[in-house]
Amino acid sequence: MDESARPRPISAVPSAGAPGPTAEDLMTLVAKGDERAFEQLYDQLAGPVFGLVRRIVRDTAQSEEVAQEVLVELWKTAPRYSADKGSALNWAMTLAHRRAVDRVRSARATTEREHKATFEAARGRPFDEVAESVASRLERSQVRRCLKTLTELQRESVLLAYYQGYTYRQVADVLSTPQGTIKTRLRDGLIRLRDCLGVTA
């Protein structure tokens, strides 16, 4: 595809005008390398494709990017399209759904890796460093001693939720544990800490 036939940004796609060739007709021409037909196909399908991707990906900039990838994929896969398998719109929407879900999964996997890496770094820190950063008004040795009274599971949950600022869901993801279990661990762990530190309600 030369520069003149390169797709325009999604936001620049014009609204539907007078009736023209169907998407199926255009896909047949695109399969033969017709760049003008691809421009027309792009104008017909860009809106629906972007709308579907936006509902799944949420982020507008990423949705624009994914939608462009889908439309370029349409150009590349047009020779494999057959009207017997469904409409051109359904073909495009199937590609869009697959691409959007892949993008969400990729982003989620990246976030989980970052959470786990942060947790591993935090878990490797001495207790006195953790205590110093989050409980400066309390004696460091007392905080360290009280943290050691928790079970390992309670301590991991407390460190992540209260000392690293993770949400219940993030803690559950990092520890691969149901949110309900995490909440119970945190509650029991905080009760233990309160009693050990002599904090009155």
Side-chain angles (χ1 to χ4, degrees), residues 125-190:
R125 295 170 61 195
F127 279 109
D128 58 346
E129 290 183 22
V130 177
E132 197 170 52
S133 66
V134 299
S136 59
R137 290 186 300 164
L138 298 172
E139 287 294 333
R140 192 169 56 191
S141 61
Q142 184 182 15
V143 173
R144 183 171 63 246
R145 177 176 59 80
C146 290
L147 282 171
K148 286 181 177 179
T149 67
L150 304 182
T151 66
E152 182 178 353
L153 298 180
Q154 289 173 339
R155 185 164 60 246
E156 288 178 339
S157 299
V158 169
L159 286 173
L160 286 171
Y162 292 94
Y163 294 175
Q164 297 298 318
Y166 281 28
T167 64
Y168 286 138
R169 180 174 181 178
Q170 289 171 333
V171 174
D173 287 343
V174 169
L175 299 181
S176 299
T177 304
Q179 288 189 54
T181 302
I182 292 299
K183 291 180 180 180
T184 299
R185 286 184 192 173
L186 288 171
R187 182 197 63 206
D188 295 345
L190 290 175

Side-chain angles (χ1 to χ4, degrees), residues 30 38 69-80 99:
V30 171
F38 178 69
E69 292 173 0
V70 170
L71 291 159
V72 171
E73 189 175 356
L74 271 181
W75 166 265
K76 295 178 179 178
T77 61
R80 299 206 305 265
R99 284 264 183 174

